[in-house]
Amino acid sequence: MLLVPRWVLFSSGCAPLLLIAGWAISAALEGAGYDPVTQTISVLAAYGASGSWVMTGAFLEVGVCHLLTAWGLRAAAAAGRVALAGGGVAALAVAMVPAPSSGGSLGHGSVAAVGFTLLALWPVLAATVGRGTPWALRPMPSFAATSVMVAGAAWFLVEMHRDGMAGVAERVVTAMQSLWPFVVVLSCLRHRAGRRAEPVTRPDDTRNRAPD
């Protein structure tokens, strides 16, 4: 029996592709007035933005992908699956509560912060122990993934505070967060394939073997 159904590979793999395509297409529609180095992804989905419909659609699709992946990722610990699903819900909420055309928004910022936090913590919450645990769900890789994402989020906050490369920092962090579920699913499927490839020794093979 597979650790995860194969369709989860599709839902988890689509998330980073849809996110990156969303910000690339909406930035192109926005034109030279948008600076991807210093401006965030939320600006692309703000009221009045030329490509807001593209970025909003990408947020919705990524949220659905995370929800489906959390549902099918039965090899992960329950707490991690709940956190991943929460990150998916936060992505849906970000689409429903876009940033204003100018200035900040407490509602949008709060929802985005919750999403960042859940998607950063879900790897370590999803970790399991045991001999049959896939590589990406083991404690050390899971802790490393969470640590990198938390460090990336801290970098983003620093860049926001100093009006620096906030757009670059946000893209790096969100790309990592959307890609890690795919890595975990692929690890689960490869782990099962590796176990099936191992030779099986039956008890009667030893009894029926001719003496040397």
Side-chain angles (χ1 to χ4, degrees):
M1 180 175 162
L2 292 173
L3 294 177
V4 295
R6 292 191 182 277
W7 59 261
V8 185
L9 192 65
F10 178 77
S11 64
S12 61
C14 282
L17 296 178
L18 291 168
L19 180 64
I20 294 172
W23 78 48
I25 295 172
S26 11
L29 292 174
E30 196 67 21
Y34 176 76
D35 182 7
V37 175
T38 60
Q39 292 181 284
T40 65
I41 302 170
S42 296
V43 173
L44 295 171
Y47 292 112
S50 301
S52 62
W53 59 276
V54 177
M55 198 65 244
T56 299
F59 283 143
L60 291 172
E61 291 162 346
V62 170
V64 171
C65 285
H66 285 334
L67 286 170
L68 290 173
T69 301
W71 180 32
L73 195 56
R74 55 195 178 208
R81 295 174 69 186
V82 170
L84 178 57
V89 172
L92 298 177
V94 164
M96 295 293 100
V97 188
S101 56
S102 62
S105 169
L106 179 60
H108 177 84
S110 300
V111 171
V114 170
F116 262 103
T117 302
L118 290 173
L119 291 176
L121 292 178
W122 93 266
V124 73
L125 295 176
T128 59
V129 294
R131 187 174 181 180
T133 302
W135 170 81
L137 286 175
R138 294 172 186 172
M140 286 304 296
S142 300
F143 178 77
T146 289
S147 299
V148 170
M149 292 178 195
V150 169
W155 174 37
F156 171 63
L157 291 176
V158 170
E159 295 297 334
M160 284 285 290
H161 181 71
R162 60 188 290 267
D163 294 326
M165 299 187 300
V168 174
E170 185 185 31
R171 281 165 173 77
V172 171
V173 177
T174 54
M176 287 190 300
Q177 290 182 336
S178 64
L179 183 61
W180 185 250
F182 176 72
V183 173
V184 173
V185 172
L186 190 62
S187 173
C188 292
L189 292 175
R190 287 179 60 85
H191 178 78
R192 177 59 178 170
R195 290 181 62 188
R196 292 178 63 180
E198 293 177 358
V200 178
T201 303
R202 300 179 181 276
D204 55 348
D205 291 343
T206 304
R207 293 198 303 267
N208 296 333
R209 185 181 300 170
D212 296 334

